[in-house]
Amino acid sequence: MERKEFFTMAQKATVFMANFAKLPAEPIAEIIVEHNGIKYYPQALQVGFNDKGEVVNTAILHDLHQNSVTYARLENVVQSV
C-alpha cells in the first residue's frame, strides 16, 4: 500500500472512531485494510530504518472489534475489497 493512501485512510478511521475510543458495531468498509488475510482499521504509520539506513514504514493496525493493535510492514498491507 502507498503511504499517502494509508495516511488518508488512517485519518478517516481516527475521525470516525473518535481516536479509536469508540469502535462501531458494524465495520466501516471504506477504511478497512488487510494484512495476512485479517482485516483491520489503519491507525498510524511508524517510520524507522533498517540496518542499511533505508526507510522502513510500519503500519499500526487496529483490530476491528477489540482494543488491540498489530504492527506490519506497510508494503504487506492492502486495502480490503
Side-chain angles (χ1 to χ4, degrees):
M1 174 173 273
E2 294 293 321
R3 282 173 48 141
K4 182 174 169 97
E5 180 183 17
F6 186 87
F7 278 134
T8 301
M9 293 176 74
Q11 180 185 32
K12 287 181 183 178
T14 301
V15 171
F16 287 155
M17 290 173 270
N19 202 24
F20 295 92
K22 296 179 96 175
L23 296 177
E26 289 296 318
I28 303 168
E30 69 188 69
I31 55 174
I32 294 176
V33 297
E34 288 186 34
H35 176 259
N36 286 340
I38 301 171
K39 296 181 180 187
Y40 300 93
Y41 289 121
Q43 182 171 346
L45 189 67
Q46 177 179 312
V47 178
F49 302 93
N50 65 15
D51 58 352
K52 296 177 185 172
E54 301 166 330
V55 172
V56 175
N57 294 298
T58 302
I60 301 172
L61 309 171
H62 197 285
D63 188 278
L64 292 182
H65 304 289
Q66 302 298 320
N67 191 20
S68 67
V69 294
T70 296
Y71 290 78
R73 300 272 312 247
L74 181 60
E75 62 203 38
N76 297 329
V77 176
V78 296
Q79 186 170 2
S80 184
V81 257

